[in-house]
Amino acid sequence: MKIAIASDHGGLNLREEIKGLMDEMGIEYEDFGCECEASVDYPDYALPVAEKVAGGEFDKGILICGTGIGMSISANKVKGIRCALVHDVFSAKATREHNDSNILAMGERVIGPGLAREIAKVWLSTDFEGGRHENRVGKITAYETK
Ligand code: RB5
């Protein structure tokens, strides 16, 4: 599994935390910035990561900003992306099992690093359930391609 990760200035610290988690989990990843604490625009980081995941270059993505909202709105504009904004462990598991979400968004200003690590750990290690959910996700894909 190969993960693309990025954040804006509002998600810098949490991005480092999640990279540390992926190191511990032995998960391969590539960091797409941002590079500094200066104010940047979240779509400039969300859209390239979303395109890389949608294009198959990466299996999944993780996007972090202050709230996670800007990143998730931006990423979901890219066809094939199902970006879930998650701030609890139950939803992290459910969105993988039911929605086959391929990008996880979180907000560094919303939750602490401990909870964020648990969310990412569960999200990264839970598989899509398929079955009745396959049909539902398929309807989203069909809408995008019509
Ligand atoms: C940046 O101040 C902040 O707006 C951004 O990180 C994010 O929360 C946007 O949704």
Side-chain angles (χ1 to χ4, degrees):
M1 177 160 59
K2 209 171 160 201
I3 304 293
I5 186 168
S7 78
D8 71 358
H9 54 288
L12 274 180
N13 301 314
L14 192 49
R15 190 177 92 221
E16 290 309 308
E17 192 74 40
I18 300 303
K19 282 163 60 182
L21 170 72
M22 290 195 285
D23 287 335
E24 288 166 26
M25 293 176 78
I27 291 176
E28 196 186 338
Y29 62 82
E30 198 169 327
D31 185 347
F32 291 95
C34 64
E35 299 300 339
C36 67
E37 289 178 23
S39 184
V40 296
D41 300 332
Y42 54 80
D44 295 339
Y45 297 88
L47 295 170
V49 163
E51 283 177 357
K52 284 174 205 307
V53 172
E57 206 181 318
F58 289 82
D59 300 297
K60 293 191 184 80
I62 298 181
L63 293 169
I64 302 161
C65 61
T67 60
I69 298 171
M71 285 296 198
S72 58
I73 291 172
S74 305
N76 278 319
K77 296 294 177 196
V78 176
K79 270 186 192 173
I81 291 304
R82 293 176 300 281
C83 176
L85 173 59
V86 175
H87 289 131
D88 68 275
V89 175
F90 176 84
S91 301
K93 187 166 184 283
T95 190
R96 283 290 310 129
E97 289 177 340
H98 294 192
N99 316 123
D100 197 17
S101 54
N102 48 14
I103 296 187
L104 169 68
M106 294 187 287
E108 181 180 321
R109 297 172 187 159
V110 182
I111 50 172
L115 177 55
R117 280 174 64 100
E118 286 308 305
I119 288 167
K121 194 194 270 185
V122 165
W123 188 80
L124 286 164
S125 49
T126 302
D127 291 329
F128 181 45
E129 247 177 44
R132 67 188 192 280
H133 303 296
E134 191 94 58
N135 189 43
R136 294 163 185 171
V137 171
K139 287 186 178 185
I140 301 171
T141 308
Y143 180 82
E144 283 177 330
T145 48
K146 77 178 180 185

